[in-house]
PDB file of all heavy atoms in Angstrom:
ATOM      1  N   LEU A1489    -165.981 -70.575 103.277  1.00  0.00           N
ATOM      2  CA  LEU A1489    -165.117 -71.633 102.881  1.00  0.00           C
ATOM      3  C   LEU A1489    -163.768 -71.133 102.518  1.00  0.00           C
ATOM      4  O   LEU A1489    -163.324 -71.128 101.331  1.00  0.00           O
ATOM      5  CB  LEU A1489    -165.797 -72.353 101.633  1.00  0.00           C
ATOM      6  CG  LEU A1489    -165.175 -73.748 101.346  1.00  0.00           C
ATOM      7  CD1 LEU A1489    -165.343 -74.654 102.520  1.00  0.00           C
ATOM      8  CD2 LEU A1489    -165.828 -74.356 100.097  1.00  0.00           C
ATOM      9  N   PHE A1490    -163.037 -70.698 103.495  1.00  0.00           N
ATOM     10  CA  PHE A1490    -161.695 -70.150 103.404  1.00  0.00           C
ATOM     11  C   PHE A1490    -160.675 -71.321 103.442  1.00  0.00           C
ATOM     12  O   PHE A1490    -161.032 -72.439 103.750  1.00  0.00           O
ATOM     13  CB  PHE A1490    -161.415 -69.199 104.561  1.00  0.00           C
ATOM     14  CG  PHE A1490    -161.939 -67.804 104.457  1.00  0.00           C
ATOM     15  CD1 PHE A1490    -163.125 -67.628 103.688  1.00  0.00           C
ATOM     16  CD2 PHE A1490    -161.203 -66.732 104.855  1.00  0.00           C
ATOM     17  CE1 PHE A1490    -163.636 -66.316 103.584  1.00  0.00           C
ATOM     18  CE2 PHE A1490    -161.717 -65.413 104.688  1.00  0.00           C
ATOM     19  CZ  PHE A1490    -162.933 -65.215 104.067  1.00  0.00           C
ATOM     20  N   ARG A1491    -159.418 -71.023 103.150  1.00  0.00           N
ATOM     21  CA  ARG A1491    -158.380 -72.008 103.102  1.00  0.00           C
ATOM     22  C   ARG A1491    -158.290 -72.827 104.433  1.00  0.00           C
ATOM     23  O   ARG A1491    -157.941 -73.980 104.396  1.00  0.00           O
ATOM     24  CB  ARG A1491    -157.026 -71.330 102.841  1.00  0.00           C
ATOM     25  CG  ARG A1491    -157.001 -70.586 101.490  1.00  0.00           C
ATOM     26  CD  ARG A1491    -155.715 -69.799 101.359  1.00  0.00           C
ATOM     27  NE  ARG A1491    -155.902 -68.543 100.621  1.00  0.00           N
ATOM     28  CZ  ARG A1491    -154.956 -67.651 100.349  1.00  0.00           C
ATOM     29  NH1 ARG A1491    -153.763 -67.825 100.821  1.00  0.00           N
ATOM     30  NH2 ARG A1491    -155.269 -66.591  99.674  1.00  0.00           N
ATOM     31  N   ASN A1492    -158.482 -72.106 105.552  1.00  0.00           N
ATOM     32  CA  ASN A1492    -158.313 -72.789 106.796  1.00  0.00           C
ATOM     33  C   ASN A1492    -159.539 -73.725 107.173  1.00  0.00           C
ATOM     34  O   ASN A1492    -159.557 -74.335 108.180  1.00  0.00           O
ATOM     35  CB  ASN A1492    -158.101 -71.757 107.934  1.00  0.00           C
ATOM     36  CG  ASN A1492    -159.277 -70.751 108.089  1.00  0.00           C
ATOM     37  OD1 ASN A1492    -159.901 -70.482 107.132  1.00  0.00           O
ATOM     38  ND2 ASN A1492    -159.405 -70.196 109.330  1.00  0.00           N
ATOM     39  N   ASN A1493    -160.535 -73.709 106.299  1.00  0.00           N
ATOM     40  CA  ASN A1493    -161.776 -74.569 106.539  1.00  0.00           C
ATOM     41  C   ASN A1493    -161.797 -75.760 105.592  1.00  0.00           C
ATOM     42  O   ASN A1493    -162.832 -76.401 105.413  1.00  0.00           O
ATOM     43  CB  ASN A1493    -163.019 -73.733 106.482  1.00  0.00           C
ATOM     44  CG  ASN A1493    -163.167 -72.814 107.657  1.00  0.00           C
ATOM     45  OD1 ASN A1493    -162.642 -73.101 108.693  1.00  0.00           O
ATOM     46  ND2 ASN A1493    -163.889 -71.710 107.440  1.00  0.00           N
ATOM     47  N   VAL A1494    -160.670 -75.967 104.869  1.00  0.00           N
ATOM     48  CA  VAL A1494    -160.599 -77.073 103.874  1.00  0.00           C
ATOM     49  C   VAL A1494    -159.306 -77.859 104.154  1.00  0.00           C
ATOM     50  O   VAL A1494    -158.261 -77.248 104.464  1.00  0.00           O
ATOM     51  CB  VAL A1494    -160.593 -76.617 102.479  1.00  0.00           C
ATOM     52  CG1 VAL A1494    -160.548 -77.734 101.483  1.00  0.00           C
ATOM     53  CG2 VAL A1494    -161.845 -75.740 102.179  1.00  0.00           C
ATOM     54  N   LEU A1495    -159.349 -79.192 104.127  1.00  0.00           N
ATOM     55  CA  LEU A1495    -158.240 -80.053 104.338  1.00  0.00           C
ATOM     56  C   LEU A1495    -157.842 -80.820 103.111  1.00  0.00           C
ATOM     57  O   LEU A1495    -158.686 -81.196 102.253  1.00  0.00           O
ATOM     58  CB  LEU A1495    -158.565 -80.991 105.497  1.00  0.00           C
ATOM     59  CG  LEU A1495    -158.925 -80.358 106.821  1.00  0.00           C
ATOM     60  CD1 LEU A1495    -159.403 -81.431 107.770  1.00  0.00           C
ATOM     61  CD2 LEU A1495    -157.830 -79.537 107.398  1.00  0.00           C
ATOM     62  N   PHE A1496    -156.547 -81.019 102.991  1.00  0.00           N
ATOM     63  CA  PHE A1496    -155.955 -81.763 101.832  1.00  0.00           C
ATOM     64  C   PHE A1496    -154.935 -82.800 102.274  1.00  0.00           C
ATOM     65  O   PHE A1496    -154.276 -82.594 103.266  1.00  0.00           O
ATOM     66  CB  PHE A1496    -155.296 -80.829 100.804  1.00  0.00           C
ATOM     67  CG  PHE A1496    -156.171 -79.976 100.031  1.00  0.00           C
ATOM     68  CD1 PHE A1496    -156.613 -78.753 100.502  1.00  0.00           C
ATOM     69  CD2 PHE A1496    -156.612 -80.355  98.719  1.00  0.00           C
ATOM     70  CE1 PHE A1496    -157.441 -77.917  99.730  1.00  0.00           C
ATOM     71  CE2 PHE A1496    -157.447 -79.558  98.013  1.00  0.00           C
ATOM     72  CZ  PHE A1496    -157.841 -78.323  98.445  1.00  0.00           C
ATOM     73  N   HIS A1497    -154.829 -83.874 101.512  1.00  0.00           N
ATOM     74  CA  HIS A1497    -153.657 -84.696 101.476  1.00  0.00           C
ATOM     75  C   HIS A1497    -153.057 -84.435 100.042  1.00  0.00           C
ATOM     76  O   HIS A1497    -153.562 -84.869  99.019  1.00  0.00           O
ATOM     77  CB  HIS A1497    -154.004 -86.208 101.619  1.00  0.00           C
ATOM     78  CG  HIS A1497    -154.270 -86.533 103.021  1.00  0.00           C
ATOM     79  ND1 HIS A1497    -153.513 -86.220 104.096  1.00  0.00           N
ATOM     80  CD2 HIS A1497    -155.290 -87.301 103.525  1.00  0.00           C
ATOM     81  CE1 HIS A1497    -154.078 -86.731 105.195  1.00  0.00           C
ATOM     82  NE2 HIS A1497    -155.137 -87.393 104.872  1.00  0.00           N
ATOM     83  N   GLY A1498    -151.898 -83.671 100.019  1.00  0.00           N
ATOM     84  CA  GLY A1498    -151.345 -83.344  98.751  1.00  0.00           C
ATOM     85  C   GLY A1498    -152.357 -82.408  98.031  1.00  0.00           C
ATOM     86  O   GLY A1498    -152.789 -81.355  98.537  1.00  0.00           O
ATOM     87  N   GLU A1499    -152.777 -82.920  96.790  1.00  0.00           N
ATOM     88  CA  GLU A1499    -153.739 -82.111  96.047  1.00  0.00           C
ATOM     89  C   GLU A1499    -155.113 -82.764  96.181  1.00  0.00           C
ATOM     90  O   GLU A1499    -156.049 -82.275  95.526  1.00  0.00           O
ATOM     91  CB  GLU A1499    -153.237 -82.091  94.586  1.00  0.00           C
ATOM     92  CG  GLU A1499    -152.023 -81.311  94.342  1.00  0.00           C
ATOM     93  CD  GLU A1499    -151.595 -81.315  92.932  1.00  0.00           C
ATOM     94  OE1 GLU A1499    -152.203 -82.071  92.071  1.00  0.00           O
ATOM     95  OE2 GLU A1499    -150.630 -80.624  92.557  1.00  0.00           O
ATOM     96  N   HIS A1500    -155.266 -83.761  96.999  1.00  0.00           N
ATOM     97  CA  HIS A1500    -156.545 -84.405  97.178  1.00  0.00           C
ATOM     98  C   HIS A1500    -157.342 -83.824  98.331  1.00  0.00           C
ATOM     99  O   HIS A1500    -156.833 -83.775  99.493  1.00  0.00           O
ATOM    100  CB  HIS A1500    -156.370 -85.889  97.463  1.00  0.00           C
ATOM    101  CG  HIS A1500    -157.649 -86.661  97.708  1.00  0.00           C
ATOM    102  ND1 HIS A1500    -158.690 -86.750  96.857  1.00  0.00           N
ATOM    103  CD2 HIS A1500    -157.986 -87.307  98.832  1.00  0.00           C
ATOM    104  CE1 HIS A1500    -159.633 -87.465  97.473  1.00  0.00           C
ATOM    105  NE2 HIS A1500    -159.271 -87.776  98.654  1.00  0.00           N
ATOM    106  N   LEU A1501    -158.487 -83.279  98.107  1.00  0.00           N
ATOM    107  CA  LEU A1501    -159.309 -82.632  99.154  1.00  0.00           C
ATOM    108  C   LEU A1501    -159.927 -83.720 100.045  1.00  0.00           C
ATOM    109  O   LEU A1501    -160.615 -84.643  99.539  1.00  0.00           O
ATOM    110  CB  LEU A1501    -160.398 -81.806  98.464  1.00  0.00           C
ATOM    111  CG  LEU A1501    -161.212 -80.797  99.390  1.00  0.00           C
ATOM    112  CD1 LEU A1501    -161.730 -79.656  98.575  1.00  0.00           C
ATOM    113  CD2 LEU A1501    -162.336 -81.516 100.138  1.00  0.00           C
ATOM    114  N   THR A1502    -159.724 -83.602 101.369  1.00  0.00           N
ATOM    115  CA  THR A1502    -160.156 -84.649 102.238  1.00  0.00           C
ATOM    116  C   THR A1502    -161.169 -84.158 103.235  1.00  0.00           C
ATOM    117  O   THR A1502    -161.844 -84.987 103.910  1.00  0.00           O
ATOM    118  CB  THR A1502    -158.975 -85.130 103.109  1.00  0.00           C
ATOM    119  OG1 THR A1502    -158.299 -84.047 103.780  1.00  0.00           O
ATOM    120  CG2 THR A1502    -157.926 -85.876 102.202  1.00  0.00           C
ATOM    121  N   GLY A1503    -161.460 -82.837 103.297  1.00  0.00           N
ATOM    122  CA  GLY A1503    -162.446 -82.440 104.267  1.00  0.00           C
ATOM    123  C   GLY A1503    -162.796 -80.969 104.147  1.00  0.00           C
ATOM    124  O   GLY A1503    -161.996 -80.147 103.760  1.00  0.00           O
ATOM    125  N   VAL A1504    -164.083 -80.632 104.516  1.00  0.00           N
ATOM    126  CA  VAL A1504    -164.591 -79.316 104.562  1.00  0.00           C
ATOM    127  C   VAL A1504    -165.355 -79.125 105.876  1.00  0.00           C
ATOM    128  O   VAL A1504    -166.134 -80.071 106.234  1.00  0.00           O
ATOM    129  CB  VAL A1504    -165.599 -78.977 103.389  1.00  0.00           C
ATOM    130  CG1 VAL A1504    -166.313 -77.653 103.603  1.00  0.00           C
ATOM    131  CG2 VAL A1504    -164.898 -78.987 102.026  1.00  0.00           C
ATOM    132  N   PHE A1505    -165.024 -78.107 106.686  1.00  0.00           N
ATOM    133  CA  PHE A1505    -165.634 -78.004 107.991  1.00  0.00           C
ATOM    134  C   PHE A1505    -165.996 -76.549 108.257  1.00  0.00           C
ATOM    135  O   PHE A1505    -165.914 -75.656 107.465  1.00  0.00           O
ATOM    136  CB  PHE A1505    -164.707 -78.649 109.073  1.00  0.00           C
ATOM    137  CG  PHE A1505    -163.364 -77.911 109.139  1.00  0.00           C
ATOM    138  CD1 PHE A1505    -163.107 -77.019 110.206  1.00  0.00           C
ATOM    139  CD2 PHE A1505    -162.322 -78.234 108.300  1.00  0.00           C
ATOM    140  CE1 PHE A1505    -161.843 -76.391 110.329  1.00  0.00           C
ATOM    141  CE2 PHE A1505    -161.040 -77.662 108.384  1.00  0.00           C
ATOM    142  CZ  PHE A1505    -160.846 -76.656 109.420  1.00  0.00           C
ATOM    143  N   ASP A1506    -166.449 -76.352 109.579  1.00  0.00           N
ATOM    144  CA  ASP A1506    -166.802 -75.052 110.006  1.00  0.00           C
ATOM    145  C   ASP A1506    -167.960 -74.436 109.317  1.00  0.00           C
ATOM    146  O   ASP A1506    -167.867 -73.425 108.570  1.00  0.00           O
ATOM    147  CB  ASP A1506    -165.626 -74.033 110.098  1.00  0.00           C
ATOM    148  CG  ASP A1506    -165.892 -72.865 111.056  1.00  0.00           C
ATOM    149  OD1 ASP A1506    -166.997 -72.833 111.675  1.00  0.00           O
ATOM    150  OD2 ASP A1506    -164.993 -72.047 111.244  1.00  0.00           O
ATOM    151  N   PHE A1507    -169.131 -75.086 109.457  1.00  0.00           N
ATOM    152  CA  PHE A1507    -170.323 -74.692 108.801  1.00  0.00           C
ATOM    153  C   PHE A1507    -171.207 -73.705 109.617  1.00  0.00           C
ATOM    154  O   PHE A1507    -172.337 -73.478 109.251  1.00  0.00           O
ATOM    155  CB  PHE A1507    -171.246 -75.947 108.501  1.00  0.00           C
ATOM    156  CG  PHE A1507    -170.737 -76.719 107.324  1.00  0.00           C
ATOM    157  CD1 PHE A1507    -169.680 -77.662 107.408  1.00  0.00           C
ATOM    158  CD2 PHE A1507    -171.380 -76.601 106.059  1.00  0.00           C
ATOM    159  CE1 PHE A1507    -169.247 -78.358 106.324  1.00  0.00           C
ATOM    160  CE2 PHE A1507    -170.944 -77.323 104.974  1.00  0.00           C
ATOM    161  CZ  PHE A1507    -169.885 -78.202 105.128  1.00  0.00           C
ATOM    162  N   TYR A1508    -170.628 -73.054 110.637  1.00  0.00           N
ATOM    163  CA  TYR A1508    -171.411 -72.320 111.551  1.00  0.00           C
ATOM    164  C   TYR A1508    -171.692 -70.892 111.131  1.00  0.00           C
ATOM    165  O   TYR A1508    -172.220 -70.064 111.885  1.00  0.00           O
ATOM    166  CB  TYR A1508    -170.828 -72.386 113.009  1.00  0.00           C
ATOM    167  CG  TYR A1508    -170.678 -73.876 113.459  1.00  0.00           C
ATOM    168  CD1 TYR A1508    -169.448 -74.375 113.742  1.00  0.00           C
ATOM    169  CD2 TYR A1508    -171.803 -74.622 113.445  1.00  0.00           C
ATOM    170  CE1 TYR A1508    -169.366 -75.737 114.119  1.00  0.00           C
ATOM    171  CE2 TYR A1508    -171.705 -75.948 113.897  1.00  0.00           C
ATOM    172  CZ  TYR A1508    -170.478 -76.463 114.195  1.00  0.00           C
ATOM    173  OH  TYR A1508    -170.394 -77.821 114.541  1.00  0.00           O
ATOM    174  N   PHE A1509    -171.368 -70.540 109.887  1.00  0.00           N
ATOM    175  CA  PHE A1509    -171.824 -69.302 109.303  1.00  0.00           C
ATOM    176  C   PHE A1509    -172.767 -69.640 108.139  1.00  0.00           C
ATOM    177  O   PHE A1509    -173.114 -68.750 107.316  1.00  0.00           O
ATOM    178  CB  PHE A1509    -170.704 -68.421 108.791  1.00  0.00           C
ATOM    179  CG  PHE A1509    -170.008 -67.663 109.898  1.00  0.00           C
ATOM    180  CD1 PHE A1509    -168.695 -67.938 110.247  1.00  0.00           C
ATOM    181  CD2 PHE A1509    -170.659 -66.644 110.557  1.00  0.00           C
ATOM    182  CE1 PHE A1509    -168.057 -67.208 111.245  1.00  0.00           C
ATOM    183  CE2 PHE A1509    -170.070 -65.963 111.541  1.00  0.00           C
ATOM    184  CZ  PHE A1509    -168.780 -66.235 111.874  1.00  0.00           C
ATOM    185  N   ALA A1510    -173.172 -70.891 107.971  1.00  0.00           N
ATOM    186  CA  ALA A1510    -173.979 -71.324 106.846  1.00  0.00           C
ATOM    187  C   ALA A1510    -175.368 -70.671 106.962  1.00  0.00           C
ATOM    188  O   ALA A1510    -175.842 -70.300 108.075  1.00  0.00           O
ATOM    189  CB  ALA A1510    -174.094 -72.854 106.794  1.00  0.00           C
ATOM    190  N   GLY A1511    -176.050 -70.619 105.879  1.00  0.00           N
ATOM    191  CA  GLY A1511    -177.451 -70.097 105.777  1.00  0.00           C
ATOM    192  C   GLY A1511    -177.943 -70.136 104.401  1.00  0.00           C
ATOM    193  O   GLY A1511    -177.214 -70.610 103.453  1.00  0.00           O
ATOM    194  N   CYS A1512    -179.103 -69.755 104.140  1.00  0.00           N
ATOM    195  CA  CYS A1512    -179.728 -69.770 102.829  1.00  0.00           C
ATOM    196  C   CYS A1512    -179.487 -68.406 102.188  1.00  0.00           C
ATOM    197  O   CYS A1512    -179.836 -67.376 102.757  1.00  0.00           O
ATOM    198  CB  CYS A1512    -181.208 -70.153 102.871  1.00  0.00           C
ATOM    199  SG  CYS A1512    -181.514 -71.806 103.484  1.00  0.00           S
ATOM    200  N   ASP A1513    -178.908 -68.471 100.996  1.00  0.00           N
ATOM    201  CA  ASP A1513    -178.517 -67.190 100.336  1.00  0.00           C
ATOM    202  C   ASP A1513    -178.366 -67.595  98.862  1.00  0.00           C
ATOM    203  O   ASP A1513    -178.551 -68.739  98.418  1.00  0.00           O
ATOM    204  CB  ASP A1513    -177.238 -66.581 100.870  1.00  0.00           C
ATOM    205  CG  ASP A1513    -177.138 -65.074 100.696  1.00  0.00           C
ATOM    206  OD1 ASP A1513    -177.684 -64.580  99.719  1.00  0.00           O
ATOM    207  OD2 ASP A1513    -176.479 -64.443 101.541  1.00  0.00           O
ATOM    208  N   ALA A1514    -177.933 -66.568  98.035  1.00  0.00           N
ATOM    209  CA  ALA A1514    -177.572 -66.847  96.665  1.00  0.00           C
ATOM    210  C   ALA A1514    -176.355 -67.744  96.624  1.00  0.00           C
ATOM    211  O   ALA A1514    -175.372 -67.498  97.305  1.00  0.00           O
ATOM    212  CB  ALA A1514    -177.291 -65.511  95.978  1.00  0.00           C
ATOM    213  N   LEU A1515    -176.423 -68.811  95.831  1.00  0.00           N
ATOM    214  CA  LEU A1515    -175.270 -69.719  95.717  1.00  0.00           C
ATOM    215  C   LEU A1515    -174.056 -68.978  95.210  1.00  0.00           C
ATOM    216  O   LEU A1515    -172.882 -69.288  95.535  1.00  0.00           O
ATOM    217  CB  LEU A1515    -175.574 -70.858  94.717  1.00  0.00           C
ATOM    218  CG  LEU A1515    -176.835 -71.702  95.112  1.00  0.00           C
ATOM    219  CD1 LEU A1515    -176.915 -72.845  94.130  1.00  0.00           C
ATOM    220  CD2 LEU A1515    -176.755 -72.213  96.530  1.00  0.00           C
ATOM    221  N   LEU A1516    -174.280 -67.873  94.443  1.00  0.00           N
ATOM    222  CA  LEU A1516    -173.191 -67.055  93.928  1.00  0.00           C
ATOM    223  C   LEU A1516    -172.359 -66.392  94.993  1.00  0.00           C
ATOM    224  O   LEU A1516    -171.212 -66.193  94.827  1.00  0.00           O
ATOM    225  CB  LEU A1516    -173.768 -66.035  92.944  1.00  0.00           C
ATOM    226  CG  LEU A1516    -172.717 -65.205  92.122  1.00  0.00           C
ATOM    227  CD1 LEU A1516    -171.887 -66.106  91.248  1.00  0.00           C
ATOM    228  CD2 LEU A1516    -173.496 -64.117  91.372  1.00  0.00           C
ATOM    229  N   PHE A1517    -173.063 -66.102  96.191  1.00  0.00           N
ATOM    230  CA  PHE A1517    -172.297 -65.526  97.258  1.00  0.00           C
ATOM    231  C   PHE A1517    -171.200 -66.463  97.757  1.00  0.00           C
ATOM    232  O   PHE A1517    -170.042 -66.036  98.024  1.00  0.00           O
ATOM    233  CB  PHE A1517    -173.230 -65.160  98.406  1.00  0.00           C
ATOM    234  CG  PHE A1517    -172.601 -64.538  99.628  1.00  0.00           C
ATOM    235  CD1 PHE A1517    -172.215 -63.215  99.586  1.00  0.00           C
ATOM    236  CD2 PHE A1517    -172.316 -65.318 100.718  1.00  0.00           C
ATOM    237  CE1 PHE A1517    -171.580 -62.691 100.671  1.00  0.00           C
ATOM    238  CE2 PHE A1517    -171.697 -64.672 101.846  1.00  0.00           C
ATOM    239  CZ  PHE A1517    -171.300 -63.409 101.784  1.00  0.00           C
ATOM    240  N   ASP A1518    -171.506 -67.741  97.818  1.00  0.00           N
ATOM    241  CA  ASP A1518    -170.497 -68.804  98.253  1.00  0.00           C
ATOM    242  C   ASP A1518    -169.374 -68.774  97.251  1.00  0.00           C
ATOM    243  O   ASP A1518    -168.190 -68.887  97.599  1.00  0.00           O
ATOM    244  CB  ASP A1518    -171.213 -70.125  98.221  1.00  0.00           C
ATOM    245  CG  ASP A1518    -171.055 -70.831  99.572  1.00  0.00           C
ATOM    246  OD1 ASP A1518    -170.502 -70.257 100.533  1.00  0.00           O
ATOM    247  OD2 ASP A1518    -171.561 -72.005  99.662  1.00  0.00           O
ATOM    248  N   ILE A1519    -169.653 -68.741  95.974  1.00  0.00           N
ATOM    249  CA  ILE A1519    -168.627 -68.739  94.947  1.00  0.00           C
ATOM    250  C   ILE A1519    -167.697 -67.555  95.096  1.00  0.00           C
ATOM    251  O   ILE A1519    -166.502 -67.642  95.005  1.00  0.00           O
ATOM    252  CB  ILE A1519    -169.282 -68.759  93.482  1.00  0.00           C
ATOM    253  CG1 ILE A1519    -170.050 -70.080  93.324  1.00  0.00           C
ATOM    254  CG2 ILE A1519    -168.246 -68.596  92.454  1.00  0.00           C
ATOM    255  CD1 ILE A1519    -170.915 -70.075  92.058  1.00  0.00           C
ATOM    256  N   ALA A1520    -168.350 -66.355  95.299  1.00  0.00           N
ATOM    257  CA  ALA A1520    -167.610 -65.148  95.460  1.00  0.00           C
ATOM    258  C   ALA A1520    -166.665 -65.197  96.662  1.00  0.00           C
ATOM    259  O   ALA A1520    -165.484 -64.705  96.576  1.00  0.00           O
ATOM    260  CB  ALA A1520    -168.554 -63.954  95.524  1.00  0.00           C
ATOM    261  N   VAL A1521    -167.159 -65.682  97.800  1.00  0.00           N
ATOM    262  CA  VAL A1521    -166.361 -65.723  99.018  1.00  0.00           C
ATOM    263  C   VAL A1521    -165.106 -66.654  98.723  1.00  0.00           C
ATOM    264  O   VAL A1521    -163.951 -66.281  99.122  1.00  0.00           O
ATOM    265  CB  VAL A1521    -167.119 -66.368 100.182  1.00  0.00           C
ATOM    266  CG1 VAL A1521    -166.277 -66.767 101.347  1.00  0.00           C
ATOM    267  CG2 VAL A1521    -168.231 -65.376 100.623  1.00  0.00           C
ATOM    268  N   CYS A1522    -165.260 -67.688  98.027  1.00  0.00           N
ATOM    269  CA  CYS A1522    -164.129 -68.601  97.686  1.00  0.00           C
ATOM    270  C   CYS A1522    -163.101 -67.888  96.788  1.00  0.00           C
ATOM    271  O   CYS A1522    -161.892 -67.962  96.969  1.00  0.00           O
ATOM    272  CB  CYS A1522    -164.598 -69.852  97.040  1.00  0.00           C
ATOM    273  SG  CYS A1522    -165.352 -71.001  98.218  1.00  0.00           S
ATOM    274  N   LEU A1523    -163.639 -67.264  95.734  1.00  0.00           N
ATOM    275  CA  LEU A1523    -162.712 -66.564  94.802  1.00  0.00           C
ATOM    276  C   LEU A1523    -161.917 -65.527  95.586  1.00  0.00           C
ATOM    277  O   LEU A1523    -160.708 -65.331  95.234  1.00  0.00           O
ATOM    278  CB  LEU A1523    -163.523 -65.839  93.718  1.00  0.00           C
ATOM    279  CG  LEU A1523    -164.127 -66.797  92.634  1.00  0.00           C
ATOM    280  CD1 LEU A1523    -165.087 -66.031  91.748  1.00  0.00           C
ATOM    281  CD2 LEU A1523    -162.941 -67.364  91.780  1.00  0.00           C
ATOM    282  N   ASN A1524    -162.533 -64.805  96.506  1.00  0.00           N
ATOM    283  CA  ASN A1524    -161.850 -63.753  97.287  1.00  0.00           C
ATOM    284  C   ASN A1524    -160.760 -64.275  98.219  1.00  0.00           C
ATOM    285  O   ASN A1524    -159.933 -63.508  98.657  1.00  0.00           O
ATOM    286  CB  ASN A1524    -162.803 -62.936  98.023  1.00  0.00           C
ATOM    287  CG  ASN A1524    -163.657 -62.025  97.145  1.00  0.00           C
ATOM    288  OD1 ASN A1524    -163.398 -61.826  95.998  1.00  0.00           O
ATOM    289  ND2 ASN A1524    -164.686 -61.443  97.763  1.00  0.00           N
ATOM    290  N   ASP A1525    -160.789 -65.575  98.506  1.00  0.00           N
ATOM    291  CA  ASP A1525    -159.767 -66.142  99.417  1.00  0.00           C
ATOM    292  C   ASP A1525    -158.767 -67.027  98.632  1.00  0.00           C
ATOM    293  O   ASP A1525    -157.604 -66.886  98.731  1.00  0.00           O
ATOM    294  CB  ASP A1525    -160.413 -66.866 100.558  1.00  0.00           C
ATOM    295  CG  ASP A1525    -159.373 -67.396 101.510  1.00  0.00           C
ATOM    296  OD1 ASP A1525    -158.642 -66.590 102.147  1.00  0.00           O
ATOM    297  OD2 ASP A1525    -159.166 -68.635 101.667  1.00  0.00           O
TER     298      ASP A1525
END
């Protein structure tokens, strides 16, 4: 979930895409990936 996989209108989030690296893992891994980007 990098910046280029999220869409906004101004400060309003309008979309999340590119789920093709998704899988089952620790939810914390997702949080960490976002923090790092």
Side-chain angles (χ1 to χ4, degrees):
L1489 198 59
F1490 280 34
R1491 301 172 212 179
N1492 60 333
N1493 289 333
V1494 182
L1495 301 173
F1496 285 88
H1497 284 311
E1499 295 177 352
H1500 175 63
L1501 193 155
T1502 57
V1504 171
F1505 61 100
D1506 201 356
F1507 281 80
Y1508 302 121
F1509 282 114
C1512 294
D1513 205 331
L1515 303 184
L1516 187 62
F1517 180 77
D1518 236 2
I1519 296 170
V1521 167
C1522 285
L1523 284 169
N1524 287 349
D1525 183 62

